[in-house]
Amino acid sequence: MNFKNKELSAFQEWIDHKYYLEDNQFDQEKLFFEQKYLNFQIDDCYGFTEKVDGKLRDDIFKILYLTYLNWKNELINLEISFYLGVWIYNPRLPKSEVVCAVGREKIEYYQNLCFDIDSST
């Protein structure tokens, strides 16, 4: 088994054992008092470029979707303005993340500035 297959197996094991359940919790204190944003990702695998497919791909999307829905419900119940998005990275699917922000500056940053796209192209 090569390195990339071991890494894929480790991601699948992390998911199968539901180790992510601690990492993807909505942390209201962190959001409001520490940094004004939250993010959850499977892994910060910047150098990982292996194609992810099959059960692992499905599981990653399911976790991202369920995290998004949970955070959305929490934010709606707080009755505040917020940014909430799912960022999909391809081919580094395990780096995909759910991101939320509160406060005018952080919301504007994530809505407008974070993805500084050249509109002249």
Side-chain angles (χ1 to χ4, degrees):
M1 180 183 293
N2 67 31
F3 174 74
K4 298 221 189 255
N5 287 337
K6 286 181 186 177
E7 197 167 15
L8 290 173
S9 295
F11 291 142
Q12 188 65 59
E13 182 178 336
W14 184 79
I15 290 169
D16 290 344
H17 291 308
K18 300 185 184 212
Y19 294 135
Y20 63 87
L21 289 176
E22 213 173 286
D23 297 332
N24 74 340
Q25 295 301 306
F26 185 81
D27 187 338
Q28 191 171 338
E29 183 165 319
K30 187 175 183 181
L31 178 63
F32 288 105
F33 301 111
E34 292 181 27
Q35 56 194 31
K36 303 293 185 200
Y37 73 91
L38 294 176
N39 72 314
F40 163 75
Q41 65 189 60
I42 306 298
D43 191 65
D44 62 355
C45 51
Y46 291 97
F48 181 80
T49 58
E50 186 79 10
K51 182 179 179 183
V52 177
D53 54 12
K55 180 181 181 327
L56 179 57
R57 179 182 174 85
D58 293 346
D59 288 347
I60 288 172
F61 278 117
K62 180 179 177 183
I63 291 168
L64 292 170
Y65 178 69
L66 292 174
T67 301
Y68 173 88
L69 287 179
N70 178 49
W71 289 13
K72 182 177 179 182
N73 288 333
E74 293 280 350
L75 290 161
I76 288 170
N77 288 335
L78 292 171
E79 298 180 355
I80 57 170
S81 297
F82 62 88
Y83 167 86
L84 180 63
V86 178
W87 301 351
I88 305 298
Y89 293 88
N90 188 24
R92 298 175 304 183
L93 190 59
K95 187 178 176 349
S96 298
E97 58 189 308
V98 178
V99 177
C100 79
V102 296
R104 185 176 54 84
E105 286 182 27
K106 289 291 187 184
I107 291 171
E108 287 178 4
Y109 173 77
Y110 285 109
Q111 285 179 335
N112 303 316
L113 303 176
C114 190
F115 296 107
D116 190 15
I117 299 170
D118 184 2
S119 60
S120 65
T121 59

